[in-house]
Amino acid sequence: MPELPEVETVCRQLSPKVTEKILRRIEILDGRLLPLAIKPLLGRTITRVARRAKEVVFHFDGHAEQTRLAIHLRMTGRLIFSEDPPPVLKSTRAVFHLNKGYVAFCDPRRFGTIRVLAECEPEPGLDPMDKRFTPKALTVLLQNARQEIKPWLLRQDRLVGIGNIYASEILFHARTHPERPAGSLDSATIKRLHQAILRVLRDAIKHCGTTFSDYRDATGERGAFQNFLSVYGRTAEPCRVCQRPIRQFAQQGRSTFFCNHCQPSGKTR
Ligand SMILES: [Zn+2]
């Protein structure tokens, strides 16, 4: 599933291609996307495409209440810009007709969504790419949390955008055991965690995200970050720091990857 870096990549690639263009109509090819209160956005100019949590959001000019269109790619969604009318494939669920060019929403598994976003809709959680994400802000979010830190990173109502791949990577770089209680981390560990979150997400964005199966960016290319993963998917392979084998276990139903030597649990220290 696309996480923050993959959605960020799609937005950065799409934004310069569609900014200043006018949305003429949206051709819906999959009835499951209806009803869509799209009328207020037609004929308006796109001012930018930006990420909101894990959604791709088209912003439009004007001061009306509804000025944003949010697309959630879910498992297999893709947004592909083309100058010419795109071929209608079995996976094409909608086509955005602009005054110059088209954006096709292709989604083989059809879990993706399109919705008009109300201006007043509250932010879902703190975005790690936001300037407000500081060690202090992270400390406040972690206060009194009883969950283990790995599942805590996955909940989207505290920090947004971190999924299963990057949660394991972040904890490795923070040298923090995935089962440590989130509310028990000392300030030095929180500082390392904050740095690791920024480092892993920024590196992943630099490499246009991670591709294991379906994810493609807005140019139809695969991401490259899977070649730089430290622990995710590397069970029994040597740790890149200490050479001991990477371990894997199921944590609340999701695979967690870690190095038992580099990420000591509080218990053994
Ligand atoms: Zn190690």
Side-chain angles (χ1 to χ4, degrees):
M1 178 177 293
E3 299 181 28
L4 184 155
E6 291 77 37
V7 179
E8 183 72 31
T9 299
V10 169
C11 292
R12 287 184 184 188
Q13 291 174 337
L14 205 52
S15 198
K17 292 189 170 120
V18 302
T19 296
E20 300 300 324
K21 289 179 182 161
I22 298 164
L23 180 65
R24 292 284 186 220
R25 71 184 179 102
I26 298 188
E27 187 183 354
I28 302 285
L29 300 161
D30 179 353
R32 264 192 280 184
L33 291 174
L34 296 171
L36 200 58
I38 193 70
K39 225 171 180 179
L41 300 178
L42 299 181
R44 290 166 74 170
T45 304
I46 300 165
T47 53
R48 66 194 170 104
V49 179
R51 184 181 54 78
R52 179 181 185 271
K54 291 195 212 175
E55 282 180 307
V56 177
V57 179
F58 286 67
H59 294 252
F60 295 85
D61 66 347
H63 301 288
E65 174 72 1
Q66 293 172 329
T67 54
R68 297 182 291 176
L69 188 67
I71 296 120
H72 203 307
L73 303 173
R74 301 285 176 199
M75 304 289 284
T76 57
R78 291 180 207 170
L79 289 167
I80 300 157
F81 175 82
S82 61
E83 303 277 350
D84 300 316
V88 175
L89 310 168
K90 212 173 152 194
S91 63
T92 308
R93 299 182 66 199
V95 180
F96 300 7
H97 293 246
L98 311 178
N99 62 326
K100 275 185 192 170
Y102 304 82
V103 177
F105 177 44
C106 299
D107 183 17
R109 292 185 65 182
R110 297 173 183 249
F111 290 124
T113 54
I114 304 179
R115 65 194 181 111
V116 177
L117 196 60
E119 211 54 62
C120 56
E121 184 158 322
E123 295 297 317
L126 181 58
D127 194 297
M129 296 287 107
D130 192 306
K131 277 200 290 272
R132 289 172 297 174
F133 177 61
T134 58
K136 204 173 164 189
L138 182 57
T139 306
V140 172
L141 289 174
L142 285 165
Q143 254 164 20
N144 304 320
R146 293 199 188 136
Q147 257 177 322
E148 294 169 351
I149 186 62
K150 160 81 180 338
W152 186 89
L153 285 172
L154 298 181
R155 56 187 292 171
Q156 301 295 312
D157 60 338
R158 297 294 187 271
L159 287 179
V160 298
I162 299 171
N164 204 39
I165 297 174
Y166 297 114
S168 282
E169 292 298 304
I170 285 164
L171 290 172
F172 175 76
H173 288 284
R175 302 197 299 281
T176 302
H177 195 284
E179 289 183 304
R180 286 189 64 181
S184 76
L185 304 182
D186 56 59
S187 61
T189 306
I190 292 175
K191 217 170 168 184
R192 284 203 310 275
L193 182 61
H194 175 262
Q195 283 174 348
I197 289 169
L198 290 180
R199 177 185 166 181
V200 167
L201 294 178
R202 282 177 182 157
D203 277 358
I205 291 168
K206 201 172 80 188
H207 293 290
C208 298
T210 302
T211 299
F212 281 109
S213 53
D214 293 303
Y215 164 73
R216 298 287 187 280
D217 64 24
T219 61
E221 294 294 319
R222 298 164 72 91
F225 194 65
Q226 64 276 13
N227 303 321
F228 301 92
L229 294 172
S230 296
V231 287
Y232 187 88
R234 298 192 64 241
T235 311
E237 290 179 38
C239 169
R240 299 200 197 280
V241 174
C242 73
Q243 311 304 321
R244 291 175 175 84
I246 297 299
R247 296 189 187 186
Q248 177 189 355
F249 70 106
Q251 196 173 13
Q252 295 192 359
R254 311 290 306 272
S255 289
T256 294
F257 301 85
F258 74 113
C259 171
N260 200 39
H261 180 74
C262 295
Q263 297 165 259
S265 69
K267 297 165 203 158
T268 54
R269 277 193 296 184

